[in-house]
Amino acid sequence: MSGRVIALVLAAAVAAGVLLSMVVLPLGRDAPADGHGSAGAPRKTIAPRLHPLPRTVAGERVTAVAAGNGSVVYGTETGNVYVTTGRSGLRRLTRLTGRVARLAFDPGGRWLAAVSARSELAVVDTVHPSAPAVRRTIVSDSSLGAGIVPDQLAIDRTGRLVAAQTDGIGVYDLYGSGPPHWLEGTYDCSGARGLAFTGSELIATFDSCANVWNTSTLRLEHQVYFPGTGNALLGHDRILYGSFRHAMLLDYHHTSPLPSAQADQGQPHPTLSGVIADKTVGTRRSPIQPVADDGRVAAVLQDARLYFWEPAAGRILAVVPLPFPAVCPSAWKPRPPADFTTSFSPDHRTLLVSGYCPPRDMDGSTEEGQRHATYRRWRLDYPSP
């Protein structure tokens, strides 16, 4: 076929949603612009393929997904939580009252926490799925009443502690029946963007800082500030941070004093996080969203494009465009940017990406708006250099 015919065929396939973009980037031809790492021998990396996830399972609309070790968990509109693996078909793990709104695995991939839109928390032991789920009610710090969904959710490796960000960060001890323990923080480090248990620590990341608590005492151990304001998440025992053009890896263990910082009474003195590596991702001033970090390759998202970065060599390994608009269609202006959420499997082999756009002409926060919103979800194998 002629080049023009091939181009028309490819364009038609993309328009029909049949062809998922795959970019092949040559590596090692130029030294990294940011001065980190070495060029190495010329080679190529093929961007991982996107595999669309179903919008319904067992005839029910999917409302939340999470990546497990060799499995994908689906939460549905009717409150059911299902799991599927490469070896077995779909099976139900538990059922909640109301739409499933949040799912989270522990760092080992055994314990699954699920929260419904009616504030019900259920924790399932996926090794013994027939055992009864442990249930609690998510409450707020201000009123200790139910009715809200946490913005962030994390569960520790033992399946005992669950952290949930509402108007504060509450830690639920599933071995007891009392109210959650509300963690102390500071005004400029409030409203967590990420929550994660790692070893003996619970870490919350914010726009410009991170708080680290000891999980045994639930006391604030130290407070780390970033070299700017952006988005951050805990990766492989380090923090992956994104500004408008740069991605950075930050060491929150080895820090330096923060100039002119004042510690609140009874709080640790704030420190400045050390920079392990940084990379210019794009020249456009668009927020960079940290996605995943397995200790070798870090992933960030900008303008509906996934970038896979190898910090040791200073290279962008691959770029995967998502077949989803970066800016949502809307009857109102300014048009809202698309909202992307991700789930990285505890074994660092699978990444799930979810894209969301609110309805064009109605409130997306209502149950009716949720049904008319646009959702797309994909699974991909995490690349190795």
Side-chain angles (χ1 to χ4, degrees), residues 160-194:
R160 175 175 183 169
L161 299 178
V162 172
Q165 163 73 45
T166 55
D167 52 352
I169 299 176
V171 178
Y172 298 75
D173 187 342
L174 301 185
Y175 289 9
S177 57
H181 176 91
W182 297 101
L183 298 178
E184 293 183 4
T186 56
Y187 175 77
D188 50 350
C189 281
S190 60
R193 296 294 187 93

Side-chain angles (χ1 to χ4, degrees), residues 35-56:
H36 293 271
S38 58
R43 57 194 175 93
K44 290 184 178 181
T45 294
I46 299 178
R49 291 181 178 272
L50 291 169
H51 303 277
L53 293 177
R55 302 181 194 181
T56 62

Side-chain angles (χ1 to χ4, degrees), residues 95-116:
R95 182 183 178 90
L96 283 71
T97 302
R99 169 177 56 87
V100 178
R102 296 282 183 272
L103 294 168
F105 273 102
D106 82 277
R110 173 177 178 174
W111 302 94
L112 173 71
V115 175
S116 77

Side-chain angles (χ1 to χ4, degrees), residues 26 137 268:
T137 299

Side-chain angles (χ1 to χ4, degrees), residues 77-98:
E77 186 176 29
T78 57
N80 285 312
V81 178
Y82 296 97
V83 63
T84 182
T85 68
R87 300 182 304 272
S88 62
L90 195 71
R91 59 187 176 91
R92 191 172 72 175
L93 289 175
T94 190
R95 182 183 178 90
L96 283 71
T97 302

